[in-house]
Amino acid sequence: MYRTLHELRGFGKRAHDLFLQNLVKGTTHLSLGQEAVATGFGAALQPDDYTFASYRGHAHSLARGMDPGAAMAELLGRENGILGGKGGSMHLTDASKGMMGSYAIIGAHLCTANGAAWSALMRGTDQVAVAFFGDGTTNIGAFHEALNMAKVWSLPTVFVCENNLYMEYTPIDVVTAVEHPAAGRAAAYGLEEIMIDGNDPDAVHLAARDAVERARSGGGPSLIEAITYRSGGHSRADPGKYRPPEEVGAWAERDPIPLYHARLLSLGVEEERLESIQEEVAQAIDVATEFAKAGAEPDEGSLLTEVYADGGSRWRN
Amino acid sequence: MAELTYREAVAYGIAQEMRRDSSLVILGEDIAAAGGVFKTTVGLLDEFGPDRVRDTPISEQAILGAAMGAAMTGVPVIAEIMFSDFLAVCWDIVANEIAKSRYMTNGQVSFPLVIRTANGGGVRFGAQHSQSVENWAMMIPGLKVVAPSTPEDVVGLMAASIRDPDPVVFFEHKALMGTKAEIPDGEIVAELGTAKVLREGTDVTIAALASMVPRTLDAAERLQQDGISADVIDVRTLVPLDTRTLLSSVEKTGRFFTVEENPRLCGWGAELVSIVAEEGFWNLDGPSIRITTPHIPLPAAASLEDLALPSVDRIYETVCKSVESGGGA
Ligand SMILES: Cc1ncc(C[n+]2csc(CCOP(=O)(O)OP(=O)(O)O)c2C)c(N)n1
């Protein structure tokens, strides 16, 4: 998990650098500071489990094993991107790794995660589906509809709210009727109230293991609220100035990476070993960046591919 | 008066109306303290306070439901749906409730209501944040549909939309937010249902909307150099539609083109072309041609998105080819 934390952090920072160099166009939603959630869950899932992420999906995709070079190339809109440049930052998907997509419309993917979970039941597999989303998402109808259906159908869906205290620029408490946007509503759907430290990969991993195990063994859905913080703004254009500096400072003290580093040392892991992991990851990010930059612009013909299942876009004779 | 950007014009236009009518309120996600994600509501909270400028949860159905309820009981409302793609999330309220209630109740209730939303592509946001969806709204009876292309029209058409007793879906174009223009002093109020002839010509009529308007003007400039003189019409409002201006232009030129961002099928260009075919057929010297995005979702990569949207080159070339061949594109 130490390695994954660094991979996610390194990827996010590099994506930011590339944006500053005007190589990443459009928008990106980084999860710097929130890496422990994707990391803890990534380690708890089987390769054939399903993940559904929001537009803030880089970390969840990488934690499921998406190739970082192909992911980076996608951010750059290159032909060698995981989606050939068609999807971009907000839509990272790698179905071969169970990463069933990143969705840019708030709430939709909670409902579709239920569908994947239901399909696992119908096909008689023990796969589970995990949906990641933010605190702001708990206020849209789809959240409530998804939880209710998951519970009454006893679906193997794990709903993971990453509560980073803000929707976009508005503090979550200004627009939410309960103090804990997810946990505070669990009872309404007959679910246990689960709140965890989203900056502690071990705590996340334990909660993930329990919830995934429950889902896999027929125990139905769970709703987990992981309290965390994004160290940057909401999206590339946002410096995050609306947040009080004391708050930003206090959370910087709780950055998951140094904390986890200290824990591993205290458990007797050697500093050298951690350093070598860091170096390997740094190299891998450089390799991914070079791979991405070396990619060609997408072929013009690809504009008209994959609209329909025959691979094309033809709609008339 | 000073120059305003398109995005500043939105807040300016809303403020003009909020000063005039103290009952007018605005609601939406991140519109108050944050000033809107496109910075189109900057300053409104400071001037009008949190009772009239309200931040909402991410709850599009609740936003438009509340807007509808308030409007039908006497409080005029402006509601923001951040990106027009998200209209799909609350489409029941728009298409089944707001649009139809006046009719279903035989005129008992009225909807002084503006739904504002950022529409269109060109900013590399990918398929779920770049759609042009004005055609979604155009096909629902009961809605009016507005899509300005200049800062002055933003202010004038905003005023007209707010003062209109019917529900108006007001499409602000993302790719135009930074464009700037001088706007006149004093109160600016345009009229819905009036297209604007931006350039007079004799050979072809080209009708465009929103971000396609400046591109069409550029293309017309190039056509002029080739000796093809174009009437360029900014349609401005799709409902009500100013067919008189379109038909009389075609009567003069005999050739009709539309330029729209929508994917190929069922865009507003198809409607305009069929109106011209039905009512102006005998004035036509050749087929009418729609210049559109292909029938695809918009890709994220810059190179692909540029290829997808009608470009100045494509507009120019399509018109040239059609005029030269005397036939289709
Ligand atoms: C239906 C819909 N409404 C609004 C938005 C615009 N939007 C994008 S992200 C966001 C805030 C989401 O906050 P949260 O759920 O807390 O997730 P976080 O960004 O913190 O991960 C909003 C309002 C959207 N994408 N979809």
Side-chain angles (χ1 to χ4, degrees):
Chain A
M1 289 207 287
Y2 184 77
R3 178 185 300 273
T4 309
L5 281 177
H6 273 283
E7 277 169 2
L8 307 189
R9 175 68 52 92
F11 187 93
K13 283 176 139 172
R14 184 57 55 86
H16 185 67
D17 294 345
L18 293 172
F19 160 65
L20 294 177
Q21 294 167 35
N22 200 27
L23 284 169
V24 174
K25 313 269 203 267
T27 188
T28 51
H29 303 79
L30 304 178
S31 48
L32 297 172
Q34 302 183 195
E35 296 90 346
V37 181
T39 299
F41 265 89
L45 294 173
Q46 300 289 343
D48 65 347
D49 287 332
Y50 299 117
T51 295
F52 291 80
S54 72
Y55 49 86
R56 198 182 299 286
H58 300 178
H60 310 102
S61 302
L62 295 170
R64 289 309 309 277
M66 179 180 289
D67 176 64
M72 194 77 83
E74 187 60 30
L75 304 193
L76 265 53
R78 301 296 166 90
E79 189 177 45
N80 53 350
I82 186 97
L83 315 167
K86 283 178 173 162
S89 164
M90 288 204 279
H91 301 296
L92 292 184
T93 302
D94 186 351
S96 75
K97 298 274 175 11
M99 176 63 207
M100 301 310 290
S102 311
Y103 299 85
I105 310 286
I106 298 281
H109 67 293
L110 280 64
C111 301
T112 45
N114 274 345
W118 183 40
S119 127
L121 291 185
M122 289 191 289
R123 288 178 290 110
T125 76
D126 67 354
Q127 293 159 290
V128 308
V130 182
F132 296 96
F133 52 94
D135 40 279
T137 303
T138 63
N139 288 323
I140 202 162
F143 168 84
H144 303 275
E145 296 184 22
L147 283 167
N148 185 59
M149 186 186 270
K151 179 64 180 174
V152 295
W153 288 12
S154 198
L155 297 175
T157 319
V158 180
F159 298 95
V160 187
C161 173
E162 294 181 57
N163 181 358
N164 59 17
L165 315 187
Y166 290 84
M167 39 179 270
E168 292 200 334
Y169 313 130
T170 304
I172 190 66
D173 57 352
V174 174
V175 289
T176 311
V178 293
E179 187 181 354
H180 291 292
R185 287 150 159 170
Y189 301 101
L191 296 171
E192 190 189 329
E193 181 174 320
I194 306 174
M195 210 148 49
I196 59 171
D197 178 353
N199 279 23
D200 177 348
D202 290 336
V204 174
H205 184 64
L206 290 176
R209 222 181 44 187
D210 288 351
V212 167
E213 179 48 36
R214 182 181 309 141
R216 222 185 277 297
S217 59
S222 307
L223 172 63
I224 296 173
E225 178 169 333
I227 313 289
T228 183
Y229 200 70
R230 58 170 151 77
S231 53
H234 163 70
S235 66
R236 64 155 232 201
D238 169 29
K241 293 245 178 62
Y242 41 86
R243 306 181 302 177
E246 317 82 67
E247 179 184 290
V248 177
W251 279 94
E253 303 274 301
R254 305 210 41 240
D255 186 318
I257 293 190
L259 290 182
Y260 204 54
H261 187 102
R263 178 176 302 159
L264 293 180
L265 290 181
S266 76
L267 291 173
V269 181
E270 285 172 7
E271 173 75 45
E272 266 172 31
R273 169 136 171 67
L274 297 181
E275 270 173 24
S276 78
I277 291 178
Q278 267 170 258
E279 271 163 34
E280 282 164 30
V281 169
Q283 272 172 19
I285 298 292
D286 286 342
V287 169
T289 310
E290 289 319 308
F291 173 82
K293 283 185 175 169
E297 300 277 313
D299 181 69
E300 295 200 349
S302 75
L303 183 67
L304 303 180
T305 61
E306 298 304 341
V307 179
Y308 297 111
D310 65 2
S313 65
R314 228 165 79 126
W315 53 270
R316 60 175 283 180
N317 60 18
Chain B
M1 121 151 209
E3 289 197 322
L4 284 188
T5 59
Y6 188 98
R7 70 156 49 78
E8 288 165 345
V10 175
Y12 181 89
I14 295 169
Q16 172 187 297
E17 293 305 296
M18 289 185 80
R19 282 177 210 128
R20 186 186 60 87
D21 179 352
S22 62
S23 64
L24 179 63
V25 297
I26 175 165
L27 77 171
E29 293 158 21
D30 288 315
I31 63 151
V37 298
F38 291 101
K39 299 291 171 231
T40 44
T41 53
V42 172
L44 298 179
L45 176 66
D46 288 345
E47 182 173 351
F48 303 105
D51 287 342
R52 294 181 65 196
V53 182
R54 299 195 78 111
D55 270 334
T56 66
I58 310 174
S59 305
E60 279 79 8
Q61 292 203 59
I63 294 170
L64 290 191
M68 168 171 168
M72 70 198 285
T73 54
V75 175
V77 181
I78 306 169
E80 174 174 310
I81 298 299
M82 195 184 281
F83 285 68
S84 62
D85 313 69
F86 312 160
L87 278 170
V89 174
C90 46
W91 200 235
D92 171 54
I93 305 274
V94 183
N96 293 325
E97 321 297 340
I98 290 172
K100 297 189 172 81
S101 291
R102 163 182 281 274
Y103 186 81
M104 293 191 303
T105 63
N106 202 21
Q108 287 185 31
V109 289
S110 199
F111 294 91
L113 163 59
V114 179
I115 302 169
R116 298 175 36 239
T117 188
N119 197 37
V123 284
R124 322 329 187 180
F125 279 177
Q128 294 185 333
H129 277 63
S130 301
Q131 292 168 86
S132 277
V133 305
E134 66 275 5
N135 48 333
W136 293 359
M138 188 185 188
M139 62 176 69
I140 307 292
L143 299 177
K144 291 180 174 169
V145 183
V146 177
S149 73
T150 65
E152 182 180 344
D153 274 354
V154 166
V155 180
L157 291 169
M158 181 76 74
S161 301
I162 290 168
R163 295 177 193 195
D164 196 279
D166 286 317
V168 177
V169 190
F170 192 93
F171 291 97
E172 295 155 20
H173 202 287
K174 289 192 228 36
L176 294 174
M177 290 292 173
T179 57
K180 252 189 181 172
E182 189 86 19
I183 69 165
D185 285 324
E187 191 181 75
I188 306 175
V189 187
E191 196 185 334
L192 301 187
T194 54
K196 221 180 194 172
V197 180
L198 296 180
R199 182 187 169 105
E200 298 259 7
T202 50
D203 300 328
V204 295
T205 298
I206 316 179
L209 194 75
S211 73
M212 292 297 120
V213 170
R215 294 185 186 200
T216 301
L217 286 170
D218 286 351
E221 195 64 41
R222 281 172 59 186
L223 289 165
Q224 189 67 55
Q225 287 160 21
D226 289 3
I228 300 171
S229 129
D231 238 16
V232 175
I233 298 177
D234 181 352
V235 181
R236 304 205 304 171
T237 72
L238 291 173
V239 180
L241 182 67
D242 180 0
T243 51
R244 225 171 298 140
T245 297
L246 293 168
L247 288 165
S248 64
S249 171
V250 175
E251 193 176 338
K252 175 175 65 169
T253 64
R255 305 296 304 257
F256 188 53
F257 298 82
T258 58
V259 188
E260 62 183 313
E261 248 189 86
N262 297 301
R264 186 72 181 167
L265 301 193
C266 301
W268 53 260
E271 190 59 43
L272 267 55
V273 162
S274 65
I275 289 169
V276 169
E278 281 181 348
E279 300 173 37
F281 183 76
W282 303 111
N283 295 318
L284 284 171
D285 296 330
S288 298
I289 290 170
R290 293 174 292 147
I291 300 163
T292 70
T293 293
H295 195 60
I296 57 168
L298 271 193
S303 58
L304 291 180
E305 191 181 40
D306 286 343
L307 201 58
L309 297 172
S311 61
V312 176
D313 283 348
R314 181 138 66 92
I315 300 165
Y316 164 79
E317 280 156 18
T318 307
V319 174
C320 270
K321 209 166 136 194
S322 164
V323 170
E324 279 160 15
S325 71

